[in-house]
Amino acid sequence: MNVLVCIKQVPDNSVVPKLDPKTNRVVTEGVELMESPFDLNAVEAGLKLVEEHGGEVSVLTMGSESSKTSLRYGLSMGAAKAYLLKDPAFEESDSWGTSYGLAKAIQSIGSFDVILCGKQAIDNDAGQVGPGIAEQLGISQITYVSEIVSVTEDTLTAKRVSPAGEEVVEAKLPVVLTCEKSLNEPRYPTLKRTRMANRAEIPEMDCAAVGADPAKVGKNSPSAIKKLYTPAPRQSGELIKGEAEEIAKIAVQKLVEQKII
Ligand SMILES: Cc1cc2nc3c(=O)[nH]c(=O)nc-3n(C[C@H](O)[C@H](O)[C@H](O)COP(=O)(O)OP(=O)(O)OC[C@H]3O[C@@H](n4cnc5c(N)ncnc54)[C@H](O)[C@@H]3O)c2cc1C
């Protein structure tokens, strides 16, 4: 079973993100970076699949030179191969451009039975890239996976979290899964694997290498962010003191004044 995991490098979640209103981007310069946490659940799920069914895990990132650190983390957890999709043309790609670039890279790397993504990246929280990859490749997808129930030669059955509860879904292979935190507990890298990962050659691929059209990605993406801003902080509530009947009267009066009732 060949498994590919998409890992995104994101700003450290212990740092309050800074927004640049001029570029409408989250500032990443000078910020500690980390792997988007759900992507580590995806790596763990991939490693468990190959431990049970054979094969190997590859990890892929679309990003800059610094993203190699995230790929090395995937290797140190147990992935066999890592690939970096890096081209200035991809800068400022939207979710469609990101999915398109990653799908082109996946096609040029090889054929995979299972492609794993996080349920969402913790910086932009779009939750669109996994489904976008499945669409671009024309294959099945199961999103918000909380358990991989079973795998046969040509199907995978998974439990997914839905607003109505949980669903068990069977999909034909190849399939894209987007992973929930509750799916597993990502393993820690061993010292030996970390040393190997630090020495590993990570091939870089650009638009030309994967056959991606630069006219469709980056600044040429179908959508553009018009405004990126932090919502105004909520005003603190008002505490009404007194007897229950009196509190109820004041509360109703205030709700009427504010045209809520
Ligand atoms: C017009 C526009 C311009 C933008 N410009 C920039 C920009 O200049 N720089 C910038 O950093 N962002 C930019 N973004 C945001 C960037 O395109 C988003 O990362 C993208 O829309 C995906 O959303 P997300 O990161 O929330 O990923 P999600 O859809 O939430 O990601 C889900 C999963 O997909 C996988 N994944 C997502 N991105 C990658 C990746 N790059 N490599 C590997 N796997 C991945 C991971 O497994 C991740 O867990 C822009 C977005 C728009 C709409």
Side-chain angles (χ1 to χ4, degrees), residues 6-8 39 62 92-93 95 118 121 124-129 223:
C6 292
I7 303 180
K8 184 179 182 191
D39 300 356
M62 177 174 138
E92 297 188 33
S93 287
S95 297
N124 293 301
D125 285 326
Q128 292 177 330
V129 169
S223 69

Side-chain angles (χ1 to χ4, degrees), residues 180-198:
E180 285 280 349
K181 183 176 166 39
S182 55
L183 177 59
N184 54 43
E185 191 63 48
R187 67 193 67 184
Y188 286 105
T190 61
L191 191 60
K192 189 176 164 208
R193 284 215 63 94
T194 303
R195 284 205 187 114
M196 278 163 59
N198 288 341

Side-chain angles (χ1 to χ4, degrees), residues 6-9 24-25 28 36 38-39 60-63 91-96 98 102 116-130 133 221 223-225:
C6 292
I7 303 180
K8 184 179 182 191
Q9 192 174 54
N24 281 324
R25 284 176 54 182
T28 51
S36 189
F38 303 112
D39 300 356
L60 166 67
T61 293
M62 177 174 138
E91 277 170 31
E92 297 188 33
S93 287
D94 66 358
S95 297
W96 188 93
T98 307
L102 288 169
L116 293 153
C117 289
K119 71 165 175 175
Q120 67 200 71
I122 61 157
D123 52 353
N124 293 301
D125 285 326
Q128 292 177 330
V129 169
I133 292 171
S221 291
S223 69
I225 299 173

